[in-house]
Amino acid sequence: AGTQSPEMACRKMVDAVLSLGSNIDGPVLDVGCLHGATTRLLGERFGAEKVTGIDELQACVDRAMLLNPQLRFCPMDPTQLEFADAAFGAVVCFEQAATFDTRAAFLKEALRVLRPGGQLLLADPDNPDLKAALADAQAKRFMTAPRFEAVKKGMSMDEVVATVGRPLARNIKEYPEKKVTAWFYPKDEGGDAA
């Protein structure tokens, strides 16, 4: 009575992980896609043309392509992603990151291929490194007075990012007539900007 199909369990996992993100924009990379079940669900959500699945094993990629011919799959090492910098609006990985050699190398590559404001969404149970990274991200989620005060006039963009984190792409506004780029950071759940 309490059992569910593998399809339903997969759908629930994808929904749960995607619920951690907000306003995912742009192409989505599914890392460690195995036979493409998660990639197919991502394609249903974002459009098949916006989703790419990768797996280290050619046999998995071949099976994924057979089962999901409408989607794009590539054999690829997740620690050496063959994509340009800032190519994706989201990188997702469902229960595979712990198997990569190494998880840290994968995370570095995932961040490289994400657009500014892009989202890295993982289902990686009981990983202390991930838990620490999530706690740090949560701590930086909203702007605080001390973090805001740490920004000084004349800082480079990299210095600002190191101090207060990178804003979401939707929170960056260009004012070319003033030669200014403004970054807005939410200071609470209501979205009020600092």
Side-chain angles (χ1 to χ4, degrees):
T3 61
Q4 58 184 340
S5 70
E7 167 76 17
M8 184 55 67
C10 185
R11 188 173 295 279
K12 285 183 177 182
M13 179 180 62
V14 169
D15 288 345
V17 169
L18 292 179
S19 74
L20 299 172
S22 63
N23 299 320
I24 294 173
D25 182 33
V28 177
L29 178 63
D30 184 11
V31 179
C33 68
L34 299 173
H35 296 152
T38 54
T39 315
R40 181 178 45 75
L41 294 172
L42 293 167
E44 289 175 8
R45 176 85 57 100
F46 301 106
E49 71 285 352
K50 292 184 178 179
V51 178
T52 300
I54 67 163
D55 200 278
E56 289 183 276
L57 301 175
Q58 182 68 53
C60 285
V61 170
D62 291 345
R63 180 80 174 147
M65 291 189 316
L66 179 68
L67 295 171
N68 306 282
Q70 74 282 15
L71 296 167
R72 178 175 179 230
F73 295 95
C74 308
M76 196 175 299
D77 180 343
T79 67
Q80 298 177 5
L81 297 175
E82 300 169 22
F83 299 105
D85 294 356
F88 294 94
V91 174
V92 296
C93 182
F94 299 96
E95 299 182 330
Q96 296 298 310
T99 68
F100 300 152
D101 185 20
T102 65
R103 181 187 297 117
F106 157 65
L107 292 173
K108 182 178 178 182
E109 278 294 278
L111 293 174
R112 180 186 65 76
V113 301
L114 277 174
R115 292 177 178 165
Q119 299 173 60
L120 173 60
L121 302 170
L122 305 173
D124 192 7
D126 300 321
N127 173 340
D129 295 334
L130 179 60
K131 287 180 180 179
L134 289 173
D136 182 59
Q138 184 64 29
K140 292 180 179 173
R141 183 173 178 201
F142 299 115
M143 182 55 67
T144 62
R147 286 178 52 224
F148 186 76
E149 291 167 5
V151 177
K152 304 294 181 209
K153 185 175 183 175
M155 290 175 85
S156 71
M157 187 180 307
D158 289 339
E159 291 170 322
V160 172
V161 168
T163 303
V164 296
R166 185 174 300 280
L168 296 175
R170 69 174 182 264
N171 294 339
I172 300 174
K173 178 126 173 85
E174 299 283 341
Y175 296 94
E177 68 282 356
K178 295 181 182 178
K179 298 181 183 172
V180 171
T181 300
W183 292 4
F184 298 93
Y185 292 83
K187 63 180 182 178
D188 58 36
E189 287 287 350
D192 291 337

